[in-house]
Amino acid sequence: MEQVVLCDDDGRPTGTADKFEVHTTDTPLHLAFSAWLFDASGHLLISRRALGKKTWPGVWTNSFCGHPAPGEATEDAVVRRAQQELGLPASALADLRCVLPDFRYRAVDSSGIVEHEICPVYVVRLAGGAEAAPNPDEVDSTKGVNPADLITAAEAMPAVFSPWLVEELARPELRAVLEGQ
């Protein structure tokens, strides 16, 4: 049973809850993270969420995301989820850095399920010739894209993408990093 860390409005941990029980029509604020992954050629990996996902199934989103476990450093959760979602071992990840430490959002899926997260945003580079091997329970498909093209597409057709992707791409700090690749 995967646990998430619940938070008050100031971001202080207040307890834990089961991940699958906490994501409802009244989801409390909790810790998460979002990660953007670049390959050696500067392409940005985006993922289409598996059709079996509880929230935003089949929607295109950032490379991967997840929740730090109670007592787990967020950077360690990023490494863990890269393995779980994309089959990438820790040795395949380089230059892990947080570019939006204070990002948070609340969004409601068409099913009524709410995401309500304090969600620092990370940028990661693939080391060497490592390639993703997506877990089909998490990821339907992936695609390497030009960051500027993704920004243009998210502005033109936001409904095609996860709401957190759209909100993250609206932040100039992330855009500067993504477009500077």
Side-chain angles (χ1 to χ4, degrees):
M1 173 184 330
E2 187 177 348
Q3 297 282 300
V4 298
V5 178
L6 304 176
C7 298
D8 65 17
D9 286 336
D10 294 321
R12 291 184 298 256
T14 60
T16 62
D18 177 80
K19 175 185 164 186
F20 293 103
E21 292 178 11
V22 79
H23 289 94
T24 67
T25 57
D26 191 29
T27 302
L29 184 62
H30 60 279
L31 295 180
F33 72 84
S34 184
W36 297 83
L37 183 67
F38 280 98
D39 66 17
S41 65
H43 288 108
L44 182 61
L45 182 80
I46 59 171
S47 297
R48 183 172 181 241
R49 292 171 62 84
L51 297 176
K53 297 290 276 185
K54 187 174 184 178
T55 58
W56 286 273
V59 172
W60 285 97
T61 194
N62 56 294
S63 306
F64 63 99
C65 50
H67 303 86
E72 180 182 36
T74 305
E75 291 78 8
D76 293 338
V78 171
V79 172
R80 174 177 53 81
R81 289 298 295 174
Q83 169 68 40
Q84 290 174 337
E85 285 195 35
L86 297 175
L88 295 168
S91 61
L93 306 179
D95 190 27
L96 172 66
R97 59 190 159 130
C98 187
V99 295
L100 294 176
D102 300 321
F103 182 76
R104 65 169 63 194
Y105 73 98
R106 184 180 186 280
V108 182
D109 185 74
S110 61
S111 68
I113 302 293
V114 174
E115 286 281 9
H116 192 200
E117 299 179 335
I118 295 174
C119 187
V121 178
Y122 289 80
V123 173
V124 187
R125 290 195 177 280
L126 273 178
E131 290 189 27
N135 174 348
D137 292 334
E138 298 287 339
V139 177
D140 175 78
S141 52
T142 61
K143 183 167 182 58
V145 299
N146 175 294
D149 293 343
L150 176 63
I151 291 167
T152 299
E155 288 174 342
M157 302 173 293
V160 174
F161 302 98
S162 70
W164 58 92
L165 173 142
V166 174
E167 287 188 41
E168 289 171 18
L169 288 178
R171 299 284 294 270
E173 306 93 331
L174 180 62
R175 280 184 182 220
V177 172
L178 298 183
E179 292 177 324
Q181 301 304 311

